[in-house]
């Protein structure tokens, strides 16, 4: 393949503009950005980011010639942006709240802002607060004195959990025993009784949580979080929205109102515009294939995707959406 491309380039030089195909061949033969390897920061193995991110990697491998994509598991939103900052990943799935902190150099990124641009706003993450039915926990305030899993360290789930606990008036050091752990570790600890409650924010359904409910029918339930909406939005404006986990999901008898956070796909600022354009295009040209990997792969559209405020779209993504 390389030899054929070199020959094409040589013919272009020798024969000049008479060969109409030369331009296309020369572009095809141009060195691939980042050596042709794109690593995607996703999330825990039984979470939605990892599933959708794996599907996105498959699309790149099939439809973006010259590029190989990898989608290893990570701790999620915060870690993905930390790794993006050091070029350990070139595409990152993240939460809007974590991304806003990273861009501004706040929170986990205090004094160390990360430079990146967005390709798309995708599906929302719905915040799950899972408890044992017999634990007497009816509201977030009832977590006082309990052992609470807040998600993987430096994850978007942990960010949302900490913010919700704080606006609920709970001190993380005094009022609860906070446990930072992966989704699989938390669900295992919930089954064994080593945790009283766990937070996790992700698309629906989340495989790890589905497994917890399926393996222990009638033992666990979800606590509504909608009453925290006004408080968390006041503390952190223009990020969070009302969310819901529908009746029947995880076998729930009723819909559970919760807090939703937009999810984003972001890339480095130095990604070439053409690559960013083509990566954005893949999300929509082959969305049915992404939805086949996980239902949330189909739960975003071109009307919502460019709405990434307070972040900026990558110029290549702007060109795809036709926005200035």
């Amino acid at each position: 393949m390389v030899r054929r491309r070199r020959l094409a380039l040589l013919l272009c030089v020798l024969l000049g503009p008479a060969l109409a195909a030369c331009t296309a061949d020369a572009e095809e033969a141009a060195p691939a950005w980042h050596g042709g390897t794109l690593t995607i920061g996703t999330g825990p193995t039984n979470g939605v980011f990892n599933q959708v991110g794996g599907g996105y990697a498959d699309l790149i491998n099939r439809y973006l010639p010259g590029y190989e994509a990898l989608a290893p598991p990570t701790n999620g939103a915060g870690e993905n942006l930390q790794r993006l900052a050091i070029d350990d990943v070139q595409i990152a799935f993240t939460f809007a709240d974590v991304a806003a902190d990273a861009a501004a150099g706040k929170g986990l990124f205090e004094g160390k802002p990360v430079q990146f641009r967005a390709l798309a706003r995708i599906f929302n993450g719905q915040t799950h607060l899972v408890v044992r039915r017999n634990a007497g926990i009816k509201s977030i305030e009832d977590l006082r004195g309990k052992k609470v899993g807040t998600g993987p360290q430096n994850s978007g789930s942990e960010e949302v959990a900490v913010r919700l606990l704080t606006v609920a008036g709970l001190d993380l050091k005094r009022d609860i025993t906070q446990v930072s752990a992966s989704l699989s570790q938390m669900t295992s600890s919930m089954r064994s009784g080593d945790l009283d409650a766990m937070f996790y924010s992700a698309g629906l359904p989340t495989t790890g949580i589905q497994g917890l409910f399926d393996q222990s029918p009638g033992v666990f339930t979800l606590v509504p979080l909608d009453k925290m909406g006004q408080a968390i939005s006041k503390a952190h404006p223009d990020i969070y929205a009302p969310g819901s986990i529908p009746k029947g999901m995880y076998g729930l008898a009723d819909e559970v109102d919760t807090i939703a956070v937009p999810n984003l796909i972001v890339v480095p600022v130095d990604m070439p515009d053409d690559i960013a354009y083509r990566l954005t295009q893949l999300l929509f040209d082959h969305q049915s294939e992404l939805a086949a990997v996980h239902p949330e792969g189909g739960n975003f559209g071109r009307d919502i995707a460019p709405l990434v405020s307070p972040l900026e779209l990558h110029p290549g993504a702007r060109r795809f959406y036709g926005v200035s």
Side-chain angles (χ1 to χ4, degrees), residues 63-137:
Y63 303 116
L64 191 59
Y67 284 88
E68 178 186 10
L70 310 172
T74 71
N75 277 345
E79 180 184 306
N80 290 344
L81 293 182
Q82 289 176 322
R83 294 175 65 177
L84 190 78
I86 60 173
D87 196 33
D88 197 34
V89 303
Q90 292 73 51
I91 303 169
F93 282 71
T94 191
F95 286 6
D97 52 0
V98 178
D101 276 359
K106 297 179 180 179
L108 176 64
F109 304 89
E110 186 68 39
K112 298 179 180 179
V114 182
Q115 300 295 316
F116 57 92
R117 296 290 183 267
L119 295 185
R121 172 179 171 177
I122 50 174
F123 55 88
N124 285 342
Q126 306 292 336
T127 303
H128 303 67
L129 173 52
V130 184
V131 301
R132 302 181 77 86
R133 287 185 182 275
N134 62 4
I137 302 171

Side-chain angles (χ1 to χ4, degrees), residues 40-309:
I40 304 174
T42 61
T45 53
N46 48 1
V48 180
F49 272 180
N50 186 253
Q51 292 175 270
V52 176
Y56 192 28
D58 288 342
L59 296 184
I60 294 169
N61 291 332
R62 289 203 299 270
Y63 303 116
L64 191 59
Y67 284 88
E68 178 186 10
L70 310 172
T74 71
N75 277 345
E79 180 184 306
N80 290 344
L81 293 182
Q82 289 176 322
R83 294 175 65 177
L84 190 78
I86 60 173
D87 196 33
D88 197 34
V89 303
Q90 292 73 51
I91 303 169
F93 282 71
T94 191
F95 286 6
D97 52 0
V98 178
D101 276 359
K106 297 179 180 179
L108 176 64
F109 304 89
E110 186 68 39
K112 298 179 180 179
V114 182
Q115 300 295 316
F116 57 92
R117 296 290 183 267
L119 295 185
R121 172 179 171 177
I122 50 174
F123 55 88
N124 285 342
Q126 306 292 336
T127 303
H128 303 67
L129 173 52
V130 184
V131 301
R132 302 181 77 86
R133 287 185 182 275
N134 62 4
I137 302 171
K138 304 298 182 184
S139 70
I140 192 170
E141 291 88 353
D142 293 335
L143 295 178
R144 190 180 303 273
K146 305 296 186 181
K147 193 173 182 179
V148 182
T150 52
Q153 188 174 22
N154 298 337
S155 68
S157 290
E158 186 169 70
E159 181 88 355
V160 178
V162 167
R163 288 181 173 184
L164 283 169
L165 289 163
T166 300
V167 298
L170 296 174
D171 186 296
L172 273 70
K173 296 186 183 299
R174 184 180 64 247
D175 295 330
I176 69 166
T177 300
Q178 181 187 1
V179 178
S180 297
S182 71
L183 177 55
S184 59
Q185 289 170 332
M186 289 194 299
T187 56
S188 177
S189 294
M190 289 293 291
R191 280 192 292 268
S192 67
D194 290 334
L195 281 180
D196 298 305
M198 58 168 276
F199 285 90
Y200 199 75
S201 296
L204 302 176
T206 299
T207 301
I209 295 175
Q210 184 71 67
L212 177 66
F213 278 74
D214 287 349
Q215 293 167 24
S216 306
V219 175
F220 300 100
T221 191
L222 296 176
V223 173
L225 293 168
D226 53 306
K227 291 182 180 179
M228 294 292 104
Q230 185 174 356
I232 196 170
S233 293
K234 182 178 180 180
H236 307 281
D238 304 321
I239 296 289
Y240 301 102
S244 65
I245 299 172
K247 177 181 177 179
M249 183 72 64
Y250 312 123
L252 295 170
D254 299 292
E255 180 179 83
V256 176
D257 293 324
T258 187
I259 303 297
V261 56
N263 297 157
L264 307 170
I265 299 176
V266 301
V267 296
V269 293
D270 65 348
M271 175 177 280
D273 290 2
D274 181 59
I275 300 303
Y277 177 94
R278 292 159 74 190
L279 287 172
T280 308
Q281 185 179 40
L282 284 179
L283 293 169
F284 298 94
D285 282 1
H286 301 282
Q287 190 168 14
S288 61
E289 294 170 60
L290 207 57
V293 174
H294 190 283
E296 293 286 22
N299 286 340
F300 59 92
R302 290 183 62 156
D303 56 336
I304 295 297
L307 306 180
V308 298
S309 179

